[in-house]
Amino acid sequence: MASESNAVGIQELIGIVGKDRVSTDRELLLKYGRGGGLVPDGEPVCVVYPRDSEDIQRIVKLANAVGLNLVPRSSSIPGALGGAVPSGEGVIVDLSEMREIIRLDRRNKVALIEPGVTFGQLQAAAAAEGLKVLMPLIPGASGSVLASYLEREPITIPKYHWDMTDPLLCIEVIFGTGDMFRTGGAAGPGTLEEQWASGAAQKNPMGPAHTDFAKLVQGGQGTMGIVTWASVKLELLPRARRLFFIQAEDLGELQGFIYKALRLRLGDEFLVLNNFSLASILRENRERIGAMTRKQSTWTLVFCVAGYEYFPQERIAFQENDIREITRAFGLEMKEEIPGASAETMMRLLDNTAGGTHWKSRYSGGCRDIFFLTTLDRVAAFIEVMNKSLVTADYPMEEMGIYIQPIQHGRACHLEFNLPYDPDDINETEKVNNLLLRASEELLEAGAFFSRPYGPWARMAYARCPDSVEALKKVKGIVDPGGVMNRGKLCFTEEVRT
Amino acid sequence: MMTDDVYREMESVVGEENISREPAILDSYAFQPFHRAEPGSWIHRPAAVVLPGSTGEVQQIVKICHRNKVSYKAHSTGWGAHSGPGKEGVIQIDLRRMDRILEIDEENMYVVVEPYAICAQVQAELMKRGLNLHIIGAGSSTSPLAACTSHMGMGFTGVSMGYSGRSVLGVEWVLPDGELLRLGSLGSGSGWFCGDGPGPSLRGIMRGWAGYDGGLGVFTGVAIKTFHWPGPREPEVEGLLFDTKTEVPDNFKVFLCYFPDYERWADAYYRIGEAEIAYIMSKNPIGAMIWAFTPHLMRKITDMPAIKTALKAAQHGCHVMIAANSPGDLDYQVKTLKRIIEETEGVLIDVKPPFESMLWWSGVRVSAVQAIFRPGGTFFVGLGGDEAVDNTMLQAKFGEKIKQDFIDRGLIYDDLADVMWGGLYEQGLFNHQEEIMIFNARDPRQAKAPEEFAKACARTAVEEHLGGIGFALFGGEKMHDLFSPVTSDYYKWEKKIKETWDPDDLSNQTFR
Amino acid sequence: MTLDDYRLDMMGCSRCSMCKWVPLNQVKSWRYARSCPSISKYNFHAYSGSGKMNVALSLLDGRIELDETVADIAYKCTLCGACDVSCKVYRDDIELCEVIEELRELCVTEGLLIPEHMIMIDSMKKEDNVFGEPKSERGNWAEGLGLKDVNSESADVLFHAGCRFSYDEDLRGKVRGSVRLLLDAGADIGIAGKEESCCGGRAYEVGYRGEMDNYADDVVARVKASGATVLVTPCSDCYSTFKYFYPRAGHELGVEVLHITEYIDRLVKDRRIALSHDVPLHVTYHDPCHLGRRGEPYLGKWEGDKLLRPLSRKRAGRNGIFDQPRDILKAIPGLKLSEMERVREYSWCCGAGGGVLEAHPDLALWSATERIREAGATGAEAIVTACPWCERSFIDAISEMGEEMAVYDLTELVTMSAGIGGE
Ligand SMILES: Cc1cc2nc3c(=O)[nH]c(=O)nc-3n(C[C@H](O)[C@H](O)[C@H](O)COP(=O)(O)OP(=O)(O)OC[C@H]3O[C@@H](n4cnc5c(N)ncnc54)[C@H](O)[C@@H]3O)c2cc1C
């Protein structure tokens, strides 16, 4: 966008949303444009804060008319992943002010939310109705629920993760064409109000008809369109719950147990952390994290058992009993207390959003993450690959966090390596960035599936699946033929025009 | 166009024993009386039928078609008019030679199948490893691959195992131009365990609530989620259906539940879902069941208003099978179910032998529904948009009225106007209810009923906002014209998808 | 009846493909889930039970001509009835096998003849047997057994050996043994010797119905003349002809018809045969189609809408002879019986029936091979059956496969256990 048309574009944007909803504040733009070393810094030309779908639709149409690059984002604070950093110039469409919980439905356990609704906000509203929000591991309080779900961040309760779209159900999206589209049950017939009146609750996540545009928008890093609201799955707030730890020195000792328990769908929250990650969650600064790391076994499996509306204690009792039997078969021990944490402490942590500095950044001020999907039986092999990369990069092994999150009832898992670094130290930053790039290549080579390819991963991941790239470009050609949506992301490195 | 040269080219791919254009052989593919609204048994006769034996052969066949602008249509078992040519000149690709189970990953709980490994086969092999899969209501003679990639996906175990369309992991897909697309982790060389990404999930193009029914290339392999099977690894079962005899394992229970009205029935559904109990949960339509199990008795009952009224009182109900992994689990599930039934003023029947055997095994194997063909020879379905329980109950109410009218006019069998078949999915995520009507397609008067029934159901679904297009999806262009304008213009977008991947409309979708 | 009488049956097919599989309740593995040799080998839908009905309907509707392809479809089928059984799990209004039989009859009347079948029919006409062997040698198998000749004296039991046992030298020991067994049990047995004629069942199956009628008249007359009260046959093909095709074609034998396994079962249960010697064999039992599902008696004609037909008139294969052979085997000390996956009315065919052995020996061999594999999978060292046609098929398949498995007629094991020495 040449600066002349920028100026035109900004004027038109002001025409759509009003003067106070468009910002060209340099400092703010710099913040939005920060690439953090892994992706080049972007050049936001302005930030626009739409009020509703109609605004968004007009903005997208304008973008097509004058050739803007729209970069939608739901949380106002820049994420670490670079998905919402414009590649070159771009108009940031900040949706954080669209934060209405349009509907919260206890009977159907569903909420209809705007993109700016945060975990903290939704959690409070849901809890008031006896419901629970399905969360990733300790998200930021101001993190957008919708953005997290749209990016397929893993949730901590694998038994509620049926399909990769979960907990996202239906969406309203303004495609890159400017067309409004509703997916799943929300598609119609009927307006939302009419559907509600006939007992519908936007709960069918599939379709409409033969296609699933929600699946195409999800994971798209804003390249397909802008989601204006979504229905999301909520679950019952347990009436009673217990949390247990199982610790082991070797991941192999836990593997059989995890497979067995998840196969029987035992447990609610269910995740594995290495000592460093656990310590980072439990303690707030470098020294204490270091000390706590040394006190822990290498691996800690954290899981809850819960009871709901019917005989909650009995449900807990039988599940606990069944799980205990499995632990015995695998020579493991369930504990309610580990060094530095009781079950209650851990439960509180898992139930809440992160306050203050994110746990990953507490050790060194910053953190680089490498995450991908694999199956549990392959995790140990990937850790080995990662360890080798650490040695080569001369990065201290004991300072790497590892988080294993089973998904889809345990059929696969999200494997995440956290590499703390000091963002103010240029050398360290460069070192960790290089490590990240190299290790990612090696992990990919070993079969890691980078299903959410942010920043530099996009090039690596898409190089492995040219057939998917071609198909994705076709999708893009349908929903964003003008190429106005978050240019240059994913595999859309050249402008796609039909 | 299909020419001798094209034929010979295909023949060189599959061998002469695997291709034919003999009229007799072709007509056996043109006979498709099921799943169609218009009367009659015949669809378009294919121009040839090909039996590829591998993905490579499928690709070559499709490429030949693509090069020569010949339409083609794949099916797995091919049960219904949607599986055959929707116009003249179409090559039928019958995938029955691709029948293998490629992999069973016990720990990561998935199975990889080719198109013609049928559910019963896959289930038998999975059970030997303590696993099971969701089987569509059509029964275990169907292709799990077709259900996952191409058609629909409702079934009895929806409550515990979900809907076929949401059970899909890696997919191997021959696109309309013959190129191969492998979805998810498979495409990245990481194995079959995930079907989504990198980035957006192309499963969204592959299918939605329903699939393209052969209208978007050919699927040659799919990894499907499997689930723990707490029953015997090699069940010993005697009998073929109604005479089933077997030892129902102690950790299973079969119940019939009945509720006083729609409202309390719905309440019970919500609560069962929330309690996270039940292995199988299915609305058991009383009239259709009696028709299917004892057609001669039902024929008599239809003349007995008092008995009919009494039976109809049991129309708000379902069949619940509990499968437990431990004694504690069993106690908890049974106790919870009983409490729910109490709260909703329902009646709970603990099914005992010998009926228990049949309900248990036919429920697990999905081998009884097909008896719906017994009373009149066939059936047809309307409504069926999956949504929140309350919405589907409303569908049932309207369905009842629509059907009663057809019964009164003698156009269909009198099944007490109670044949909403359905059940919960994913522990209550949504409910499915479809309005089934039984008729005799060989009776000229009844043969025309489906068309009118389909229209009546579709109109009501639109006017009353009943959970989406449902079975009207198989009504072709007319139905799209009715639904699309009030359903996010989906058809406009689907046309774009079709134009993008298959600009010459070669991959033939029967009902478009 | 003509094909047209089955129009509603054919129109009623929903194309569910059950006819291709053993009844769903009984699918026990990936490997042995199929039921129909024809579709399993030829793959085009037309070769399935459903497909044959579709083709027949297409003919009736004038959509296709009766040509060699139709004949190929109609005759590459052992008429084993597996499709019929699976279909009838769900349907009361379709007589699948009857449609195939009508289709074959149409082929014959329209002159679409299979050369091998013409030769067979010719042989039957000339020599009263399906092989074209001299009629004069038909009774040779019984030489020296001292059996009554029912042509000149009366006997309680008329023993009908059938063409295969009469002429197949390899099987001679088996049939002789079975007669000695009955004699030993004190049965009053007579045979018709060289006057015994073919039952005609094979002719009926391949569409030459008139031929069977001729034989039926002959057999009926001889049975009457013999004064026998029971007709016993060791041949399952003959058995099903007597129990099913004859009455269906209006021929009443007027005596009790028993397969030899039924007869032996009675003798064992009446303690007239003592199974006292150990037979230390691990065997599996193959249900001959014609003794099992196709051996089910005729239940009378039903005119009109089959939806209204009482279930007591529905012939679904379950009332064939299944328990008696198993009871006998279980009564033999030292013998271990392991069942195959496909048994009883959903048993897999040996491949010999329906004119296939004559016209399409490759299909017959393939089908038998498949069965031998299944038998082998049980761990058994021998396959036992109760039909000379199955035995012939299995012996040939085993030799072709280079396998070791032994093939027994059920009566042989009974002979061993009863301590009746070989000849
Ligand atoms: C009694 C009865 C009950 C039923 N209940 C249910 C139910 O509960 N849930 C449900 O989902 N359906 C149900 N159905 C519909 C059923 O799914 C279809 O009839 C289906 O066709 C069954 O056969 P199949 O699964 O082998 O698929 P096929 O008939 O082989 O195929 C189905 C569709 O997918 C396409 N297709 C199949 N394989 C491929 C492939 N490899 N590549 C590309 N396209 C392909 C075909 O062209 C066809 O359009 C029911 C049907 C009956 C008769």
Side-chain angles (χ1 to χ4, degrees):
Chain A
M1 189 163 71
S3 45
E4 203 172 305
S5 61
N6 278 348
V8 178
I10 291 168
Q11 275 322 303
E12 301 252 358
L13 283 169
I14 291 171
I16 294 169
V17 294
K19 204 163 174 275
D20 50 351
R21 300 197 147 265
V22 178
S23 169
T24 49
D25 179 83
R26 249 193 81 72
E27 218 156 289
L28 185 70
L29 295 184
L30 274 178
K31 225 170 81 182
Y32 279 112
R34 199 175 296 148
L38 276 179
V39 293
D41 287 346
E43 300 154 44
V45 289
C46 68
V47 188
V48 54
Y49 302 92
R51 293 158 298 191
D52 53 25
S53 311
E54 234 167 86
D55 278 355
I56 294 173
Q57 204 164 8
R58 290 171 67 193
I59 292 168
V60 176
K61 286 190 173 152
L62 170 70
N64 276 286
V66 302
L68 302 176
N69 172 29
L70 300 179
V71 183
R73 60 179 316 135
S74 300
S75 324
S76 50
I77 295 176
L81 301 168
V85 175
S87 306
E89 291 189 339
V91 171
I92 306 287
V93 184
D94 188 325
L95 305 164
S96 59
E97 294 192 7
M98 283 174 67
R99 52 166 171 259
E100 191 191 343
I101 299 173
I102 301 168
R103 186 163 183 265
L104 206 134
D105 175 350
R106 162 62 186 86
R107 186 163 166 93
N108 289 298
K109 296 189 296 175
V110 67
L112 198 77
I113 55 171
E114 289 191 326
V117 170
T118 63
F119 276 108
Q121 179 192 359
L122 184 60
Q123 214 181 24
E129 296 282 338
L131 293 170
K132 168 172 175 136
V133 180
L134 295 170
M135 296 207 298
L137 180 60
I138 318 181
S142 58
S144 151
V145 178
L146 197 53
S148 168
Y149 290 179
L150 276 173
E151 288 306 294
R152 293 199 298 255
E153 268 199 274
I155 55 169
T156 54
I157 309 185
K159 77 164 183 184
Y160 292 136
H161 197 247
W162 290 78
D163 199 356
M164 291 301 288
T165 44
D166 282 337
L168 188 72
L169 300 174
C170 310
I171 58 174
E172 179 185 87
V173 56
I174 310 298
F175 286 140
T177 53
D179 292 289
M180 189 267 271
F181 192 85
R182 293 178 181 177
T183 70
T191 61
L192 287 179
E193 291 74 13
E194 285 167 335
Q195 291 189 3
W196 296 332
S198 58
Q202 298 79 46
K203 283 217 73 183
N204 181 351
M206 297 174 287
H210 305 104
T211 29
D212 225 334
F213 279 100
K215 282 205 175 74
L216 299 165
V217 172
Q218 195 185 30
Q221 296 176 16
T223 57
M224 301 293 179
I226 300 179
V227 177
T228 54
W229 50 250
S231 58
V232 301
K233 196 160 86 153
L234 301 172
E235 295 296 345
L236 288 185
L237 201 57
R239 297 257 168 187
R241 190 159 61 132
R242 294 189 69 180
L243 182 144
F244 296 95
F245 303 95
I246 298 179
Q247 295 198 312
E249 283 312 317
D250 182 29
L251 190 60
E253 294 169 45
L254 292 176
Q255 187 175 311
F257 170 82
I258 297 172
Y259 272 130
K260 180 82 191 180
L262 290 178
R263 180 167 171 156
L264 301 181
R265 282 199 228 166
L266 291 167
D268 285 40
E269 284 82 359
F270 203 109
L271 54 121
V272 181
L273 297 163
N274 78 343
N275 46 3
F276 185 79
S277 282
L278 180 66
S280 305
I281 287 171
L282 295 178
R283 293 292 179 263
E284 51 294 321
N285 62 44
R286 188 176 181 95
E287 286 64 40
R288 302 194 65 198
I289 291 171
M292 181 53 68
T293 303
R294 288 186 287 280
K295 282 193 201 149
Q296 302 292 351
S297 304
T298 312
W299 296 101
T300 302
L301 166 66
V302 182
F303 67 89
C304 294
V305 288
Y308 316 107
E309 303 296 286
Y310 293 95
F311 312 110
Q313 294 301 344
E314 283 169 51
R315 187 173 196 280
I316 288 177
F318 95 74
Q319 290 226 340
E320 195 184 320
N321 200 43
D322 290 0
I323 292 180
R324 205 174 291 280
E325 250 171 57
I326 307 172
T327 54
R328 276 198 210 106
F330 287 96
L332 299 167
E333 196 194 339
M334 286 159 68
K335 295 186 216 162
E336 287 186 79
E337 180 100 43
I338 52 167
S342 64
E344 289 79 66
T345 320
M346 195 68 210
M347 227 184 295
R348 209 172 325 113
L349 285 164
L350 290 181
D351 285 348
N352 286 298
T353 51
T357 316
H358 193 275
W359 60 270
K360 291 180 195 171
S361 301
R362 288 178 190 162
Y363 190 73
S364 299
C367 183
R368 285 277 179 235
D369 305 326
I370 302 181
F371 52 84
F372 52 88
L373 299 183
T374 183
T375 50
L376 186 62
D377 50 347
R378 304 196 58 201
V379 165
F382 286 118
I383 293 176
E384 213 154 288
V385 172
M386 192 64 204
N387 284 343
K388 272 193 201 137
S389 301
L390 295 186
V391 172
T392 316
D394 196 21
Y395 185 97
M397 229 179 258
E398 61 283 359
E399 290 179 11
M400 176 174 74
I402 307 179
Y403 164 41
I404 303 166
Q405 180 59 62
I407 57 170
Q408 288 220 22
H409 300 135
R411 261 165 215 88
C413 57
H414 163 96
L415 174 57
E416 178 169 330
F417 299 112
N418 304 125
L419 304 165
Y421 73 104
D422 179 358
D424 298 329
D425 179 334
I426 295 174
N427 289 336
E428 205 174 303
T429 304
E430 199 181 311
K431 185 167 139 182
V432 77
N433 283 351
N434 286 338
L435 167 62
L436 179 139
L437 292 174
R438 226 175 120 162
S440 300
E441 291 277 13
E442 274 157 21
L443 290 161
L444 260 159
E445 196 55 41
F449 178 49
F450 280 67
S451 72
R452 298 161 53 202
Y454 297 103
W457 295 333
R459 179 185 46 78
M460 303 179 204
Y462 284 117
R464 305 184 79 81
C465 53
D467 41 351
S468 289
V469 171
E470 201 171 316
L472 285 171
K473 286 189 172 173
K474 285 182 176 161
V475 175
K476 178 86 168 159
I478 293 172
V479 298
D480 183 24
V484 302
M485 294 308 309
N486 208 358
R487 272 174 214 152
K489 291 287 158 19
L490 298 173
C491 55
F492 310 123
T493 41
E494 313 129 356
E495 261 186 19
V496 182
R497 286 183 193 282
T498 47
Chain B
M1 224 202 30
M2 176 71 184
T3 60
D4 289 353
D5 287 345
V6 172
Y7 185 85
R8 272 191 292 276
E9 209 184 330
M10 291 191 189
E11 191 178 61
S12 69
V13 174
V14 293
E16 63 175 344
E17 67 283 15
N18 292 313
I19 183 165
S20 177
R21 50 179 167 173
E22 288 298 329
I25 288 185
L26 299 181
D27 252 11
S28 73
Y29 290 90
F31 180 83
Q32 286 288 13
F34 176 67
H35 223 324
R36 55 193 282 163
E38 79 285 12
S41 307
W42 301 100
I43 53 171
H44 299 273
R45 181 189 288 176
V49 54
V50 202
L51 304 163
S54 65
T55 303
E57 285 185 11
V58 172
Q59 280 193 276
Q60 288 185 62
I61 296 294
V62 172
K63 281 182 179 167
I64 294 169
C65 288
H66 186 242
R67 238 188 352 262
N68 295 285
K69 306 265 179 282
V70 176
S71 285
Y72 56 88
K73 167 90 172 182
H75 73 47
S76 294
T77 78
W79 191 3
H82 53 287
S83 312
K87 59 185 182 189
E88 289 299 302
V90 177
I91 309 281
Q92 178 90 59
I93 301 178
D94 177 348
L95 294 162
R96 67 168 272 125
R97 288 178 63 227
M98 296 182 67
D99 64 353
R100 291 173 303 164
I101 297 172
L102 297 176
E103 185 189 337
I104 296 176
D105 187 328
E106 279 184 62
E107 289 200 308
N108 298 305
M109 295 203 291
Y110 63 79
V111 59
V112 185
V113 292
E114 291 188 330
Y116 205 77
I118 62 161
C119 294
Q121 291 176 297
V122 179
Q123 185 185 59
E125 296 303 332
L126 286 175
M127 279 182 176
K128 291 175 190 168
R129 295 157 176 88
L131 294 169
N132 195 7
L133 81 164
H134 173 66
I135 295 176
I136 57 168
S140 51
S141 59
T142 61
S143 157
L145 175 138
C148 284
T149 60
S150 304
H151 198 50
M152 297 183 288
M154 304 68 93
F156 295 102
T157 45
V159 68
S160 61
M161 303 195 208
Y163 188 91
S164 303
R166 281 173 55 88
S167 297
V168 180
L169 306 174
V171 179
E172 186 182 77
W173 180 2
V174 175
L175 293 170
D177 60 1
E179 294 303 328
L180 200 62
L181 173 59
R182 284 151 304 178
L183 298 187
S185 53
L186 184 69
S188 296
S190 304
W192 289 92
F193 65 87
C194 180
D196 310 81
S201 174
L202 289 162
R203 281 173 58 198
I205 294 293
M206 179 178 86
R207 66 167 292 165
W209 174 76
Y212 271 85
D213 272 340
L216 212 56
V218 185
F219 300 96
T220 49
V222 64
I224 303 171
K225 279 163 69 172
T226 65
F227 294 82
H228 181 63
W229 164 243
R233 299 211 159 197
E234 296 190 31
E236 286 188 15
V237 178
E238 271 178 51
L240 305 190
L241 183 58
F242 299 111
D243 56 344
T244 304
K245 258 197 253 153
T246 186
E247 191 87 16
V248 176
D250 291 343
N251 57 330
F252 284 81
K253 294 288 287 174
V254 184
F255 295 102
L256 298 175
C257 318
Y258 298 102
F259 305 94
D261 52 32
Y262 276 111
E263 286 65 34
R264 277 170 285 190
W265 180 27
D267 288 349
Y269 267 34
Y270 278 108
R271 292 171 200 200
I272 288 171
E274 285 181 359
E276 300 178 14
I277 57 172
Y279 192 69
I280 280 179
M281 196 189 150
S282 155
K283 152 67 160 117
N284 50 326
I286 195 91
M289 252 185 23
I290 304 176
W291 264 122
F293 289 15
T294 57
H296 294 293
L297 175 66
M298 191 62 186
R299 210 164 257 121
K300 293 199 182 97
I301 290 175
T302 47
D303 290 333
M304 303 176 180
I307 295 186
K308 271 168 60 178
T309 310
L311 287 171
K312 176 127 179 165
Q315 74 166 326
H316 312 108
C318 62
H319 149 206
V320 172
M321 186 193 295
I322 280 172
N325 298 320
S326 68
D329 185 11
L330 184 69
D331 286 350
Y332 171 77
Q333 291 198 54
V334 171
K335 196 171 163 182
T336 303
L337 180 65
K338 285 186 174 158
R339 170 64 63 86
I340 291 170
I341 302 298
E342 233 174 74
E343 286 175 353
T344 50
E345 296 170 70
V347 176
L348 187 71
I349 300 171
D350 186 348
V351 182
K352 297 289 184 210
F355 197 39
E356 187 192 25
S357 275
M358 191 233 149
L359 272 193
W360 178 70
W361 184 241
S362 70
V364 170
R365 184 42 68 87
V366 196
S367 58
V369 188
Q370 304 85 333
I372 191 75
F373 288 102
R374 264 182 103 192
T378 195
F379 71 99
F380 187 77
V381 184
L383 296 174
D386 299 346
E387 241 303 322
V389 173
D390 286 336
N391 183 266
T392 57
M393 290 298 172
L394 194 62
Q395 292 186 39
K397 285 183 191 170
F398 280 107
E400 198 184 333
K401 282 198 203 105
I402 295 171
K403 193 157 62 177
Q404 190 60 54
D405 171 52
F406 279 72
I407 293 171
D408 293 344
R409 289 192 283 145
L411 295 177
I412 60 177
Y413 278 44
D414 184 353
D415 61 6
L416 313 175
D418 161 46
V419 198
M420 265 286 180
W421 175 78
L424 288 182
Y425 289 76
E426 298 185 15
Q427 287 166 336
L429 175 65
F430 59 82
N431 192 42
H432 171 80
Q433 303 251 54
E434 61 188 53
E435 191 62 58
I436 297 173
M437 59 88 148
I438 302 168
F439 71 110
N440 185 350
R442 296 161 288 192
D443 171 342
R445 212 168 108 76
Q446 298 206 341
K448 294 200 190 93
E451 230 169 349
E452 200 191 326
F453 184 77
K455 273 189 210 139
C457 288
R459 233 181 292 117
T460 310
V462 167
E463 283 162 12
E464 305 295 336
H465 321 115
L466 301 179
I469 185 163
F471 280 81
L473 202 56
F474 304 102
E477 198 90 31
K478 280 186 301 243
M479 290 299 178
H480 295 308
D481 289 346
L482 180 64
F483 278 89
S484 187
V486 290
T487 314
S488 269
D489 253 337
Y490 69 85
Y491 197 49
K492 174 181 109 182
W493 295 97
E494 288 188 353
K495 277 193 196 149
K496 287 189 187 180
I497 288 174
K498 187 73 176 154
E499 281 156 18
T500 303
W501 268 275
D502 186 17
D504 297 315
D505 191 15
L506 299 178
S507 191
N508 180 232
Q509 192 177 358
T510 313
F511 300 120
R512 273 191 68 208
Chain C
M1 303 282 271
T2 66
L3 197 52
D4 203 31
D5 296 320
Y6 292 90
R7 177 179 279 280
L8 293 183
D9 301 50
M10 294 182 269
M11 284 175 70
C13 173
S14 83
R15 209 197 178 283
C16 65
S17 291
M18 296 299 168
C19 53
K20 297 166 183 167
W21 306 97
V22 302
L24 297 176
N25 265 12
Q26 293 299 342
V27 171
K28 302 178 183 94
S29 72
W30 176 83
R31 178 67 182 81
Y32 299 113
R34 289 159 199 262
S35 65
C36 165
S38 183
I39 180 68
S40 300
K41 180 152 167 54
Y42 300 109
N43 286 315
F44 293 112
H45 180 72
Y47 288 85
S48 66
S50 157
K52 284 166 198 150
M53 292 204 295
N54 308 156
V55 169
L57 184 63
S58 174
L59 270 176
L60 274 190
D61 283 358
R63 296 170 54 92
I64 54 170
E65 305 275 314
L66 187 59
D67 62 8
E68 278 172 13
T69 308
V70 175
D72 195 69
I73 292 163
Y75 285 104
K76 278 183 174 160
C77 161
T78 59
L79 255 182
C80 73
C83 54
D84 193 82
V85 166
S86 291
C87 177
K88 284 174 178 162
V89 173
Y90 303 108
R91 301 303 294 260
D92 304 332
D93 53 344
I94 297 176
E95 288 295 341
L96 218 169
C97 277
E98 290 180 29
V99 171
I100 302 172
E101 287 156 12
E102 294 299 337
L103 182 58
R104 289 176 172 205
E105 145 117 300
L106 187 70
C107 287
V108 170
T109 52
E110 295 293 315
L112 249 145
L113 307 177
I114 306 288
E116 292 84 353
H117 291 163
M118 288 163 70
I119 296 169
M120 179 177 76
I121 297 297
D122 233 33
S123 307
M124 290 168 79
K125 282 182 176 151
K126 283 199 197 110
E127 302 287 350
D128 280 350
N129 68 73
V130 295
F131 305 115
E133 297 288 340
K135 182 174 170 65
S136 56
E137 293 173 12
R138 184 155 184 131
N140 290 1
W141 66 270
E143 257 167 38
L145 288 172
L147 296 174
K148 284 183 176 172
D149 178 356
V150 296
N151 300 303
S152 51
E153 48 192 327
S154 58
D156 260 2
V157 177
L158 173 59
F159 187 89
H160 177 94
C163 300
R164 177 59 73 184
F165 268 138
S166 294
Y167 291 104
D168 193 326
E169 298 275 351
D170 294 342
L171 306 180
R172 182 146 296 176
K174 296 178 198 274
V175 64
R176 286 176 65 85
S178 62
V179 169
R180 289 170 53 235
L181 179 71
L182 302 189
L183 288 172
D184 197 65
D188 175 27
I189 307 178
I191 58 169
K194 66 178 189 310
E195 295 305 319
E196 182 185 292
S197 62
C198 175
C199 65
R202 193 65 90 228
Y204 193 93
E205 284 186 337
V206 299
Y208 295 78
R209 292 192 173 167
E211 289 305 316
M212 189 193 75
D213 288 334
N214 296 337
Y215 290 111
D217 291 341
D218 201 52
V219 176
V220 169
R222 199 166 312 102
V223 169
K224 278 219 172 81
S226 73
T229 54
V230 189
L231 173 68
V232 172
T233 178
C235 175
S236 294
D237 268 40
C238 299
Y239 177 77
S240 96
T241 305
F242 296 150
K243 292 286 266 199
Y244 174 58
F245 283 147
Y246 277 18
R248 188 172 142 197
H251 308 286
E252 287 303 332
L253 283 168
V255 290
E256 190 180 16
V257 176
L258 294 178
H259 187 265
I260 192 161
T261 48
E262 290 176 281
Y263 194 57
I264 291 175
D265 182 55
R266 281 188 195 172
L267 294 173
V268 171
K269 285 173 184 158
D270 292 348
R271 298 176 198 279
R272 286 169 64 192
I273 293 178
L275 300 173
S276 49
H277 293 70
D278 266 17
V279 180
L281 276 175
H282 182 188
V283 304
T284 187
Y285 175 72
H286 165 79
D287 289 285
C289 310
H290 286 93
L291 180 62
R293 55 186 169 237
R294 299 282 278 160
E296 182 166 331
Y298 181 58
L299 298 174
K301 193 169 168 182
W302 179 261
E303 304 262 10
D305 190 347
K306 292 197 183 76
L307 289 171
L308 304 174
R309 180 173 64 173
L311 293 180
S312 56
R313 302 285 288 278
K314 175 178 160 185
R315 200 169 159 270
R318 57 184 299 186
N319 296 318
I321 305 299
F322 305 111
D323 292 328
Q324 294 91 329
R326 289 179 170 79
D327 287 350
I328 296 168
L329 289 171
K330 283 177 198 156
I332 296 176
L335 186 118
K336 179 178 169 195
L337 171 67
S338 295
E339 293 281 9
M340 287 183 270
E341 289 190 12
R342 294 174 287 194
V343 289
R344 303 179 71 92
E345 65 268 53
Y346 52 95
S347 178
W348 177 267
C349 173
C350 76
V356 163
L357 187 62
E358 294 76 14
H360 303 288
D362 56 332
L363 171 58
L365 178 67
W366 180 83
S367 191
T369 305
E370 173 76 6
R371 190 58 163 169
I372 294 302
R373 294 235 161 81
E374 186 177 356
T378 65
E381 60 198 302
I383 184 164
V384 184
T385 184
C387 173
W389 294 89
C390 302
E391 285 155 30
R392 180 76 261 162
S393 256
F394 293 150
I395 291 168
D396 292 346
I398 289 167
S399 122
E400 193 77 22
M401 293 161 82
E403 299 268 318
E404 286 293 312
M405 183 164 286
V407 179
Y408 288 104
D409 189 275
L410 182 76
T411 57
E412 289 179 278
L413 300 178
V414 177
T415 313
M416 289 182 216
S417 186
I420 295 169
E423 290 176 294

